[in-house]
């Protein structure tokens, strides 16, 4: 889903051509603003919405460069196939620059790709052979081609041929004629790409860049730059001026100073820019250290340029490309804009969308040469969807998608963002901004129940509140997947639009004269082009027009109108019950759509000449042509003229619409292998003089006889049909204007109101029209809507009582109702330490007299004396994680209202460590703990998986007690979920019926080499276990050594029963464990367990006499009195032990440090594993038998006393509750 926007442009001269098997490279000429049609800029979260051809609403930049692909048939070619319908053997639109940028940039003209069929090209091979071309590429002799044949009827289009072609003589002195010359770009026949550009207003300079693109190499291998200084009569090759070995790839012209030219070299050869300040007469080369993908020129400053690179970086230059500076990286393609004059304070401001994660981006505003982190402004409170930023006129649009539902936001006049409000149950799936003309937003919205159609909505001036204008607009997808909406703004007539609507499963064309308040079908002509009567009765039969925009700006497309000739529309269409792609003809209206005439029964491309005073028609056909048609009387009569001796495959027409030179250029080829042919046509001979006051007549704009259109009666001036005089550029088209009294249709329904069948606006079922605004107090008054709001740019006057305008009403004191509390982005969670903005809304109540109490839930409360002080939101920062109950209370003298939200303050879980005992008693609870970094409070979910369990145990706390019923190794996994982030840790716990354990400590030197990571602890435990096994003869399978995190380094030794002993003799197994435990106590107390950590660092392992509280107990459950007796025995035993051992060296006692913020046990070890780490030498230790004889013999005597033995068993049986880190 996405939001797109249509931009306004004026059509300029640049053109890029391709021929036969010729394909396209990427090219783009950018300017910020022009003024003719509408062009699309998508605001969508999907992957790069492609191309700008959202119908007829696209405007082409006045300096746009165009690329044609000659080996495919051009679907938008005005001569080889109708726009939008590629003929056979055509149309491959690769993802190229137009797809990446054409839809995104205001005022950016983009290279598009057109294909032409080889077979169609080869038809003219014979004609190409007969053309007289000099080897030097010079111009042919100028010839005048005129045909004269008088028409037969004035009731339909009359076709005439001036007889010069038939008679073979010069034209009569007063007959209209065309002056033509042809130039061939000799030596470039192998070049399969060309870019053509007319330098500027009334300039005689034309630049052409031809290239040979090698598709195997994927690069340009040859190029030629041509320049004409006589409007295209002759051309000179400029390769020696730019460097004979330099390969050129793109041509750009500054939109604010057409004398400044920039040409890019091919980056495969060298990365450089060639700059000219004299329309290409001379160049200077400057290297660049990045590959330029596209350029955006400043709308007013001729030397300021933004450049986008292949690695998504944005650069700026303030000296026309001589030096570049990095602006920002990770910039989304096409989502960067220069400042809009009068709105942004500094003219060098840049608006940028930068990607921060998949599907997420930031809106950044900074200055082009000072865009460091400290100088950046983040104007939207939070992140936005990628490919959603649009800066257009007074508006900035963006989009945020939450839980699959998009929300659209707008900033008007660079103020704070507000959410765009559509009717409550519109529930948009997709939105496209069609236009922002006249400080009003037109939007195409796909509602929840629409699939292939959209509805047209119109906003108020700030672009916030929208009302429905027309349902079920026809849409389609372009070749690149871009959305095409059948909606067209008629130039020159305020408030007049055309749209194709799906009605009863038929596509029909509708027209509006009041900016979408009422729509009507188009009346069909009364007769066809042959003069036959047509019986087409509304509403069963009507005229239907194709409204899509041509992808080729150098063909006219299926519909055209011009501001300088208001009321004239020429379009491709058909007559019948619905829009069709067959039986198409050309239709014209001279009275703004009230009546139509058919002028051709085949498709033609039609342009306005002489500021709209003449019409030029060229047949839209796949075959080569040599004739064109001209009409000076609004299409009633047509004169046929020849423009070439041989038929030409026309690729495009280049003209400067507002120039006084009356020159246009045809581009094309005579044959499959011929050079590029440039035919200059001077049509000054069509006119005999300049128009005088007596050459004009007036006509009245009306809507089916109603003279009041958009609130006024307008009278326009136009040239009398048939006069062969040239129009002056500055003559006034509007003769007079008189305001009318307002009617209901001069107003659109206000937000929450809907137009009924009788034309009146009534409140929707979900809207309460009696709700006072929240800025109203009992001592004030407010303007209450009557359900109508005046159509913007409507000039009607309200006489007497204002029936439709808002009415001023006194505010009534009322208790607050409908209090709502949310965050600025509607989210229920926020990162710890972030600035959370709370928004408070009140549906009804005395806003200025209503105080707001806000309790943030963390002990901080705030009070506002009135609700109006909270318009910009209430900001608060939470310092710790947790779930906070945020409460807002609104109070006034009439009552109160209260609302609550629960806000989750979270921080990302970076690490998780599962702390469990490595040995547990079967059938007894063991404590398991998951420790996370950083610590959280009540904001995490823990999933505990045990062995092969199919369902986890879910807890909100990081600890759990679990009873293991199966002996052996049991795997425990804990998963910690924090939002969409999930981390886990796993451990293996050994479950036995009984075991013994001893706490171990180490020489202090070990602490100095302890990196405190899990791998290191495992390696040390393995070395200690090996040493213990070697001393005692006990197999390593019976021993487990676990080192605890933290300092000082401590460990625990677990002695497991022999698996081969019978489980029926439990007492015997326990006695065996006691005997092994005694052996280890002796060896540890005598310092016999040692290992070599590294050279000259020997570590001695001791037994720690102090223990912590046990996690589990291998004995039976004791009663309170039994435990007291046991404690007494332990104390006596400890005393006896120290008396017995007073001569023996007491090992150093370590106390384990509990540090909840220790290092991550999962960090990769810096100590390499070494199987030979243990340096224990058996020869240094007494044999196990010696130890038993020497040490256990006196213990037997103590055991006879019944105290010492029990003491030893109790001490060694305990193991600590050291599961926390």
């Amino acid at each position: 889903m996405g939001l797109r926007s249509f931009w306004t442009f004026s059509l300029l001269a640049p053109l890029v051509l391709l021929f036969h098997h010729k394909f396209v490279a990427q090219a783009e000429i950018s300017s910020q603003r022009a003024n003719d049609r509408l062009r699309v800029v998508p605001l969508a979260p999907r992957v790069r919405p492609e191309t700008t051809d959202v119908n007829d609403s696209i405007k082409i930049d006045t300096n746009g460069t165009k690329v044609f692909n000659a080996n495919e048939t051009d679907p938008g070619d005005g001569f080889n196939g109708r726009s939008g319908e590629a003929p056979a053997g055509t149309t491959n639109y690769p993802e190229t620059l137009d797809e990446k940028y054409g839809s995104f940039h205001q005022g950016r003209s983009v290279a598009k790709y057109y294909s032409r069929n080889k077979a169609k090209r080869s038809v003219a091979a014979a004609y190409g052979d007969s053309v007289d071309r000099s080897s030097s590429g010079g111009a042919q002799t100028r010839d005048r081609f005129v045909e004269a044949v008088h028409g037969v009827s004035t009731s339909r289009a009359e076709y005439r041929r001036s007889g010069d072609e038939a008679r073979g003589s010069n034209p009569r002195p007063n007959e209209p004629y065309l002056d033509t010359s042809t130039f061939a770009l000799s030596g470039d026949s192998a070049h399969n790409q060309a870019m053509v550009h007319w330098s500027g207003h009334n300039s005689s300079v034309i630049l052409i860049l031809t290239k040979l693109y090698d598709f195997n190499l994927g690069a340009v291998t040859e190029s030629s730059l041509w320049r004409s200084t006589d409007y295209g009569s002759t051309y000179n090759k400029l390769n020696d001026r730019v460097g004979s070995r330099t390969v050129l790839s793109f041509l750009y012209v500054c939109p604010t100073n057409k004398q400044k030219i920039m040409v890019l070299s091919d980056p495969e050869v060298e990365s450089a820019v060639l700059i000219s300040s004299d329309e290409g007469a001379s160049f200077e080369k400057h290297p660049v250290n990045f590959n330029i993908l596209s350029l955006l020129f400043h709308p007013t400053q001729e030397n300021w340029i933004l450049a986008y690179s292949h690695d998504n970086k944005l650069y700026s230059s303030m000296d026309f490309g001589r030096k570049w500076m990095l602006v920002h990286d990770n910039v989304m393609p096409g989502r960067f804009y220069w400042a809009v004059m009068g709105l942004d304070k500094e003219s060098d401001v840049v608006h940028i969308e930068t990607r921060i994660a998949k599907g997420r981006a930031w809106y950044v505003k900074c200055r082009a040469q000072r865009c460091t982190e400290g100088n950046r402004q983040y104007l939207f409170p939070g992140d936005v969807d990628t490919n959603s930023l649009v800066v257009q006129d007074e508006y900035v649009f963006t989009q945020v998608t939450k839980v699959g539902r998009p929300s659209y936001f707008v900033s008007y006049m660079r103020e704070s963002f507000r959410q765009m409000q559509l009717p409550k149950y519109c529930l948009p799936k997709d939105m496209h901004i069609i236009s922002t003309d006249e400080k009003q937003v037109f939007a195409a919205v796909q509602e929840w129940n629409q699939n292939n159609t959209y509805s047209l909505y119109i906003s108020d001036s700030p672009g916030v509140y929208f009302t429905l204008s027309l349902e079920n607009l026809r849409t389609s997808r372009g070749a690149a997947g871009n959305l095409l909406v059948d909606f067209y703004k008629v130039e020159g007539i305020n408030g007049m639009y055309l749209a194709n609507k799906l009605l009863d499963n038929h596509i029909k064309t509708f027209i509006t004269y009041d900016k979408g308040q009422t729509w009507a079908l188009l009346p069909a002509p009364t007769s066809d082009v042959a003069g036959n009567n047509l019986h087409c009765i509304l509403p069963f039969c009507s005229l239907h027009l194709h409204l899509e925009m041509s992808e080729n700006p150098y063909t006219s497309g299926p519909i055209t109108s011009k501001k300088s000739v208001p009321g004239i529309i020429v379009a491709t269409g058909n007559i019948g019950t619905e829009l069709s792609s067959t039986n198409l003809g050309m239709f014209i209206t001279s009275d703004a759509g009230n009546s139509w005439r058919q002028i051709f029964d085949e498709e033609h491309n039609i342009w306005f000449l002489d500021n709209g005073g003449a019409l030029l028609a060229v047949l839209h056909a796949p075959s080569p042509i040599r004739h064109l048609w001209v009409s000076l009387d609004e299409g009633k009569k047509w004169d046929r003229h020849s423009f070439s001796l041989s038929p030409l495959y026309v690729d495009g027409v280049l003209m400067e619409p507002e120039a006084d030179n009356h020159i246009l250029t045809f581009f094309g080829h005579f044959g499959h292998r011929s050079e590029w042919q440039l035919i200059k046509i001077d049509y000054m001979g069509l006119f005999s003089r300049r128009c005088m006051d007596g050459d004009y007549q007036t006509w009245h704009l009306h809507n089916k006889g109603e003279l009041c259109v958009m609130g006024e009666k307008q009278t326009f001036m136009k040239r009398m049909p048939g006069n062969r005089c040239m129009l002056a550029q500055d003559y006034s088209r509007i003769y007079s204007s008189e305001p009318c009294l307002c009617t209901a249709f001069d107003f659109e329904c206000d937000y929450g109101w809907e137009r009924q069948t009788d034309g009146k606006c009534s409140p929707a079922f979900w809207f309460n029209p009696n709700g006072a605004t929240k800025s109203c107090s009992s001592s004030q008054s407010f303007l209450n809507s009557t359900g109508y709001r005046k159509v913007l740019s409507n000039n009607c006057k309200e006489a007497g009582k204002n029936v439709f305008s808002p009415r001023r009403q006194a505010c009534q004191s009322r208790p607050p109702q409908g209090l709502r509390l949310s965050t600025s982005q509607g989210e229920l969670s926020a990162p710890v330490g972030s600035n959370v903005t709370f928004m408070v809304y009140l549906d009804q109540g005395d806003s200025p007299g209503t105080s707001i109490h806000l309790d943030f839930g963390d002990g901080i409360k705030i009070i506002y004396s009135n609700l109006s002080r909270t318009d910009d939101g209430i900001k608060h920062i939470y310092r710790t994680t947790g779930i906070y109950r945020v409460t807002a209370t609104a109070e006034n003298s009439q009552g109160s209202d209260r609302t609550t939200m629960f806000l989750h303050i979270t921080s990302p879980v970076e690490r998780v460590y599962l702390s469990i005992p490595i040995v547990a008693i079967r059938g007894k609870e063991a404590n398991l703990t998951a420790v996370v970094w950083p610590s959280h409070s009540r904001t995490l979910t823990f999933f505990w998986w045990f062995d092969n369990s199919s369902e986890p145990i879910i807890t909100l706390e990081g600890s759990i007690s679990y009873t293991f019923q199966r002996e052996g190794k049991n795997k425990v996994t804990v998963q910690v979920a924090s939002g969409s982030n999930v981390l886990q840790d796993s451990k293996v716990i050994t479950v036995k019926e009984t075991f013994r354990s001893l706490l171990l400590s180490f020489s202090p030197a070990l602490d100095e080499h302890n990196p405190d990571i899990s791998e290191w602890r495992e390696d040390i435990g393995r070395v200690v276990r090996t040493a213990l096994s070697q001393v005692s003869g006990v197999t390593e399978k019976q021993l487990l050594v676990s080192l605890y995190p933290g300092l000082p380094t401590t460990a625990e030794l677990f002695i497991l029963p022999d698996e081969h002993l019978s489980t029926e003799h439990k007492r015997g197994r326990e006695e065996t464990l006691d005997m092994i435990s005694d052996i280890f106590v002796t060896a540890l107390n005598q310092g016999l367990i040692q290992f070599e950590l590294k050279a000259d660092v020997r570590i001695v392992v001791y037994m720690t006499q102090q223990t912590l509280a046990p996690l589990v107990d291998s004995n039976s459950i004791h009663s309170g009195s039994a435990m007291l007796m046991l404690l007494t025995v332990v104390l006596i035993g400890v005393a006896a032990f120290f008396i017995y051992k007073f001569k023996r060296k007491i090992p150093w006692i370590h106390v384990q440090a509990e540090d909840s913020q220790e290092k991550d046990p999962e960090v990769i070890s810096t100590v390499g594993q070494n199987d030979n780490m243990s340096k224990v030498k058996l020869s240094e230790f007494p044999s196990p038998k010696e130890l038993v004889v020497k040490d256990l013999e006196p213990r037997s005597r103590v055991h006879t006393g019944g105290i010492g033995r029990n003491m030893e068993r109790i001490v060694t049986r305990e193991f600590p509750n050291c599961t926390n880190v």
Side-chain angles (χ1 to χ4, degrees), residues 1063-1206:
T1063 57
E1064 298 177 357
H1065 302 85
K1066 181 176 180 181
R1067 183 175 181 81
R1069 297 176 64 184
E1070 292 183 352
E1071 290 179 351
T1072 302
L1073 292 176
D1074 290 339
M1075 182 182 300
I1076 297 174
S1077 177
D1078 290 337
I1079 294 174
F1080 288 142
V1081 169
T1082 300
L1084 292 168
N1085 287 340
Q1086 292 181 356
L1088 301 180
I1089 309 300
Q1090 303 180 14
F1091 63 92
E1092 190 173 286
L1093 183 66
K1094 57 192 304 185
D1096 300 328
V1097 178
R1098 179 170 290 275
I1099 305 299
V1100 180
V1101 185
Y1102 303 99
M1103 186 185 79
T1104 301
Q1105 299 298 336
Q1106 296 180 353
T1107 63
L1108 302 177
L1111 278 172
V1112 296
D1113 191 356
S1114 59
N1115 290 336
S1116 303
I1117 300 177
H1118 303 287
S1119 64
S1121 59
M1123 291 299 295
L1124 181 61
M1125 293 178 60
L1126 180 60
L1127 180 61
T1128 303
V1129 172
V1130 169
L1131 293 175
I1132 296 174
V1134 170
F1137 177 80
F1138 277 95
I1139 293 174
Y1140 176 75
K1141 298 288 187 178
F1142 75 98
K1143 291 182 181 181
R1144 186 172 298 184
K1145 180 181 178 181
I1146 300 177
W1148 178 54
I1149 300 175
H1150 293 267
V1151 179
Q1152 177 170 340
E1154 300 184 18
D1155 183 3
S1156 62
Q1157 300 298 328
E1158 65 170 355
K1159 298 179 181 178
D1160 182 5
E1162 298 303 323
V1163 176
I1164 299 174
S1165 174
T1166 58
V1167 180
Q1169 296 185 8
N1170 189 347
D1171 294 336
N1172 299 321
M1173 184 176 291
S1174 176
K1175 300 296 182 180
V1176 179
K1177 298 181 180 180
L1178 294 179
S1179 60
E1180 299 179 4
F1181 300 124
S1183 66
K1185 292 183 179 180
E1186 293 175 344
L1187 286 173
V1188 172
V1189 173
K1190 180 179 179 180
D1191 194 63
L1192 294 186
E1193 190 172 294
R1195 290 174 178 268
S1196 300
R1197 291 193 296 269
V1198 176
H1199 177 67
T1200 306
I1203 297 176
R1205 180 65 174 175
N1206 289 335

Side-chain angles (χ1 to χ4, degrees), residues 1051-1065:
E1052 187 167 6
L1053 167 64
F1054 294 91
I1055 307 169
L1056 307 179
D1058 190 349
E1059 296 179 354
H1060 300 291
L1061 294 179
S1062 173
T1063 57
E1064 298 177 357
H1065 302 85

Side-chain angles (χ1 to χ4, degrees), residues 40 213 223 272 331 484 634 724 728 803 871 982 1110:
V40 166
Y213 185 83
S223 66
V331 177
L484 307 178
E634 300 173 352
R724 288 177 49 204
V803 179
D871 288 345
V982 178

Side-chain angles (χ1 to χ4, degrees), residues 242-299:
V242 300
S244 58
R245 296 186 179 181
T246 301
V247 178
L248 305 178
S249 57
F250 301 110
L251 173 68
Y252 295 84
V253 178
C254 176
T256 54
N257 183 355
K258 303 297 175 55
Q259 292 186 340
K260 290 193 171 184
I261 311 295
M262 179 178 290
V263 185
L264 305 184
S265 65
D266 190 275
E268 297 294 329
V269 180
E270 63 175 336
S271 186
V273 296
L274 291 91
I275 300 170
S276 174
S277 299
D278 50 13
E279 296 182 292
S282 61
F283 287 89
E284 54 182 273
K285 183 184 292 186
H286 296 273
V288 293
N289 58 3
F290 61 95
N291 294 341
I292 297 177
L293 190 61
S294 66
L295 297 179
L296 178 64
F297 290 88
H298 194 276

